[in-house]
Amino acid sequence: MSTPTLIGVAAFRGSYTARLVQFGESPEVLVPLLRRIWTDTFGRDTGAMAAALLGHDWWSLAVNPKPRRWDRQPPVPGLGYPVVTEDATVRRGALREDVGGALEWLYLLHLDQRRLVVYEATIHGRWLRHSAHHLDPVEDLFVTAPADDGGGPEMTVCTVCGAVDEIDHVEVPSMAGYGYDTVTSCVRCGSSVASDPMFGDRVTRKPWPPQNPTAGDTAGETR
């Protein structure tokens, strides 16, 4: 069963350019795949990866696509299986517009931040932000990990202090006039990710372990 998906590049004030991936995937599958394509195929060159993705519509993406006898065009090495149609063009849209057609996911690259933001189509025909991922996972402040017993729900882990499920999240309508301003912070160390529709994510990593005060800081304390 196909999962029609758009993948492309974010632009100013919520606009984007994108191509269709007919057999797209959920973020749990496609985000790791795109990270591999970014690293293995494009040597971490986000601009080159974006240009290649916008060069075609796609049946599906793959790191090592193999030729198939029924394909009208050979696969693009290190990227996937292109769709060959005369009317396939780059799609231009905006996040605040209604979702057109039977689409389920939208993946947008933020070139200057090496970041991938995922949106899902809601029952109301609108794009809703689902998640944000750095193409280099070590840049993520919060990551998910399997439960220790292997059978429970995933845990959210702070990569600064190692706190598990100690996360505070605040979301309010954005002053930009669309979307939301959000702050996700670690209760233990105070590291945080603040995000808004115009400027994207801003990551603050606090020192850990907390730095001991210097002698000058404690000289005036009462003992």
Side-chain angles (χ1 to χ4, degrees), residues 202-217:
R202 300 174 298 284
V203 178
T204 301
R205 293 178 179 269
K206 297 290 188 179
W208 189 264
Q211 296 177 348
N212 292 325
T214 63
D217 294 331

Side-chain angles (χ1 to χ4, degrees), residues 6 9 11 14-19 54 89-95 97:
L6 293 181
V9 178
S15 61
Y16 63 83
T17 56
R19 286 285 196 168
L54 292 176
T89 59
V90 174
R91 301 185 182 208
R92 305 183 189 278
L95 296 174
E97 296 175 349

Side-chain angles (χ1 to χ4, degrees), residues 5-8 21 24-46 49-50 52-54 58 60-63 78-80 105-109 114-118 133-137:
T5 297
L6 293 181
I7 187 166
V21 182
E25 297 282 358
S26 65
E28 292 78 12
V29 176
L30 198 54
V31 170
L33 174 59
L34 288 170
R35 282 173 169 161
R36 284 197 60 195
I37 291 173
W38 178 65
T39 300
D40 297 355
T41 305
F42 295 99
R44 303 190 171 208
D45 187 333
T46 314
M49 176 176 169
L53 286 169
L54 292 176
W58 304 90
S60 61
L61 302 179
V63 177
L79 194 55
W105 296 100
L106 169 65
Y107 294 78
L108 294 181
L109 289 164
R114 300 196 306 178
R115 189 166 57 98
L116 181 69
V117 181
V118 185
H133 311 267
H134 285 282
L135 290 172
D136 187 343

Side-chain angles (χ1 to χ4, degrees), residues 19-20 22 55-60 68 70-76 80-89:
R19 286 285 196 168
L20 176 69
Q22 186 62 47
H56 303 275
D57 282 353
W58 304 90
W59 289 115
S60 61
R68 303 179 302 194
W70 59 84
D71 287 328
R72 295 174 56 191
Q73 183 168 319
V76 177
Y81 301 92
V83 174
V84 182
T85 59
E86 294 182 357
D87 58 350
T89 59

